[in-house]
Structures are given as C-alpha cells and as structure tokens.
Amino acid sequence: MLEEVERWLSTRSWSVTDRPLHQILAAKRATGQSVSVVLPALNEEETVGDIVAVIRHDLVQQVPLVDEVVVVDSGSTDRTSQVAAAAGARVVHRDAILPRLPAVPGKGEVLWRSLLVTRGDVVCFVDADLKEFSSDFVAGIVGPLLTDPDVDLVKAMYDRPLGGAAGQGGRVTELMARPLLNMHWPQLAGFVQPLGGEYAARRSLLEQLPFPVGYGVELGMLVDALHLVGLDALAQVDVGVRKHRHQDGQALGRMAAAIYRTAQLRLARGHLIRPSLTQFERGEDGFEPRTYSVDTEERPPMAEIAEYQARKAA
C-alpha cells in the first residue's frame, strides 16, 4: 500500500463514535450549514418507510441535524411513493425533475436530478433497500463535513453479510471495483466500501461532478472527486453493519460491466467497441443468450445546467 494511503487511513478513517451528536450539532449551528438526505428508490415499499421514519425521528424531531428528507422515485410500480410520504418524506418523481431532458433508467440519473430538488449545503445519499437501519448511517457520514472544513466527501464503511456469512457481501466491489482502483487509482485503495450507496458530500463538490447515469456513479464520483479536490478532502466513517437486499449473479454482472465502462472512460476516454454484455440463461432448448446494453451515458456537472444556475441566482 502507498505511504500516502497508509497516512490517509490514519487521518481520514473514523468511527461514528468519534463525533458525538452534540458535537456535530454544535458545528452545524456555528457554521449555519443545512443538510439534505436523499433516498433514490425503485420498488422499495418494504424498506423505504422504515428508513425515512428513523431519520425523521432521530435526526429531525429529536435533534435538528437533518433539514429535509427527500425520496426520489425512479418509476416504482409498487407503493414506494405512498409509503415514503406517509413516513414523512417529501417525494419527488424522477420524471418531474428537469422535464426538458427525458430521464433514462439508472441510479446515477436519480442522484444527479436530486440536486435540483434539494437545498442542503451538505447532501447525504442513502440507499432505500436497507434493513435494520440506524440513523448512525446519516450522522456518521455527515459529521466530518460539518466539523471539518477540509473534508468534501465522506463514504460510509461497514460489514456486509451475505446470508449468514459475515463479510461476504459486496461481491462486485471485491471482483471488479477494488482491483480497478488498486491498479489504476491506488490513492483510493484505502476505501473499504468504494461502491457503497451511503455517502455525503458538499453541494459545492457535487455540482461540479459529472454523473454516470447507472451503477458506475459511485466509482465515477470517487475518481472524479480525487482529481478535483485531492485525497485529503475524502474520508470514510465506520457505521457498523449494512443489511440489504442482494442482487442475483446476473444482475451483478451487469453492474460490473457498467462499473468497468465508467473506469474505462476515465482511464482513456477511449472508444468502447461493443457497449453491451451478453449473459446466458438456461431455457427449454439449452442456454439462451440475453444481451443488455451497458450504461455509457453521463450527465454533465449540474453547475452547467441552466435551470440550476437560475435557481442559484434567485
């Protein structure tokens, strides 16, 4: 491991217990910063309500850490929107944000659009499929941004059990993202969960970053933030254990392809000969091919969007 990364691990890797809530609140009052929490959601009626309820109870009603909780529904066919609203979130449909640009499917698309419907100086993203959710996920990653002006982006780190096996989750991280980062961006080798969906950042950083529209958004954001603000402006906080719904092997393959494409663009901005992935499923006549397109589109930095510029000027 690079000496720089070893030093970073000792100075920019913390535990949620390192910053008590009263210290974070005092820093928030002193700096006047506001905090938005965004949950991108697609058919998450079973979990989104509990997550919203915990955040509102612990960090809005009991202590005023979070200023708004926004669920961006990316086309759910279940009761995700109704459940989230009943729990106290403001629910916005992806297609209602920046309607002049037709939305494309993908998590990164939703995160990018969320910048237009939130106001916080600090924006905290939380996946909507988490189970046994703790508000430490939010307080832990928001804390360094409120208490340390030199930090611009904070990722959560945690154990990821798979079934009954501890530490066996995060298969795409171990098989795709970690090797890519270690080989091509070794400064980022210290991130325990580079693809984790729980992270917070200053709006001033997020609005300058391009957003891959799909699963490559987390890797792309880390790499671009490294180049824009440097390693010491990035940090991670241990928040315990993350339990969530796991994808099947083929879905993970499609995720890995999107992440590889995101890395490829950043390595050379080169030409991808075949931006698609063929997988196989056994059918009545043997193995049948299924071909999926790989996310290749990226949204420009939000600071370049006219509607966002107008909102900032208002």
Side-chain angles (χ1 to χ4, degrees):
M1 184 177 289
L2 295 176
E3 275 189 29
E4 182 181 9
V5 176
E6 291 184 353
R7 178 192 54 77
W8 178 85
L9 281 169
S10 65
T11 60
R12 285 292 187 263
S13 291
W14 297 296
S15 166
V16 67
T17 58
D18 289 337
R19 288 176 177 79
L21 199 51
H22 68 83
Q23 178 185 346
I24 300 172
L25 282 170
K28 182 176 190 286
R29 295 189 190 100
T31 59
Q33 297 176 88
S34 55
V35 177
S36 300
V37 176
V38 173
L39 282 78
L42 177 63
N43 295 329
E44 302 294 357
E45 67 176 1
E46 293 184 4
T47 50
V48 67
D50 289 341
I51 298 172
V52 170
V54 169
I55 295 172
R56 283 192 52 78
H57 176 269
D58 293 359
L59 303 179
V60 177
Q61 296 163 352
Q62 286 202 333
V63 296
L65 179 63
V66 171
D67 298 281
E68 61 177 348
V69 182
V70 179
V71 171
V72 183
D73 191 330
S74 58
S76 297
T77 55
D78 66 0
R79 298 183 62 254
T80 290
S81 289
Q82 297 93 315
V83 170
R90 176 161 61 93
V91 179
V92 185
H93 196 282
R94 173 200 63 196
D95 297 345
I97 308 170
L98 203 63
R100 71 173 176 86
L101 289 180
V104 298
K107 179 183 180 182
E109 177 83 350
V110 174
L111 300 184
W112 182 72
R113 288 175 186 259
S114 76
L115 297 180
L116 258 172
V117 293
T118 54
R119 292 283 183 177
D121 302 301
V122 171
V123 182
C124 174
F125 298 118
V126 176
D127 281 351
D129 66 343
L130 302 189
K131 303 173 183 177
E132 301 177 28
F133 178 77
S134 166
S135 59
D136 284 350
F137 274 68
V138 173
I141 56 179
V142 166
L145 294 163
L146 297 177
T147 59
D148 189 337
D150 294 327
V151 175
D152 287 325
L153 184 148
V154 183
K155 297 279 293 190
M157 56 176 166
Y158 32 64
D159 295 315
R160 296 185 67 179
L162 178 62
Q168 296 303 305
R171 291 161 288 174
V172 176
T173 293
E174 301 304 330
L175 296 174
M176 176 60 72
R178 200 176 308 285
L180 281 172
L181 292 175
N182 275 263
M183 287 187 287
H184 299 296
W185 297 280
Q187 287 177 295
L188 298 175
F191 277 94
V192 175
Q193 297 292 351
L195 300 185
E198 291 69 46
Y199 48 98
R202 300 191 190 282
R203 177 177 295 272
S204 57
L205 170 63
L206 292 172
E207 66 187 15
Q208 297 181 69
L209 299 177
F211 276 60
V213 299
Y215 284 122
V217 63
E218 274 86 22
L219 183 133
M221 190 177 294
L222 263 188
V223 171
D224 293 340
L226 173 67
H227 290 299
L228 193 62
V229 296
L231 181 60
D232 283 339
L234 313 181
Q236 61 185 351
V237 174
D238 187 348
V239 296
V241 179
R242 184 186 197 264
K243 297 181 180 179
H244 65 111
R245 172 176 47 80
H246 291 282
Q247 305 265 20
D248 64 33
Q250 294 212 336
L252 295 178
R254 297 190 290 274
M255 188 184 302
I259 289 163
Y260 179 78
R261 169 59 171 167
T262 300
Q264 182 196 44
L265 283 171
R266 279 151 181 78
L267 284 167
R269 295 289 165 180
H271 176 62
L272 182 63
I273 297 173
R274 183 174 177 266
S276 58
L277 174 72
T278 299
Q279 298 176 316
F280 295 88
E281 297 178 7
R282 185 182 290 279
E284 293 181 0
D285 300 320
F287 284 103
E288 300 174 357
R290 301 281 189 274
T291 299
Y292 302 89
S293 61
V294 174
D295 294 319
T296 59
E297 189 170 356
E298 297 197 3
R299 293 302 191 185
M302 185 58 78
E304 299 177 6
I305 299 298
E307 288 88 340
Y308 189 79
Q309 294 171 1
R311 195 190 74 164
K312 289 191 73 175

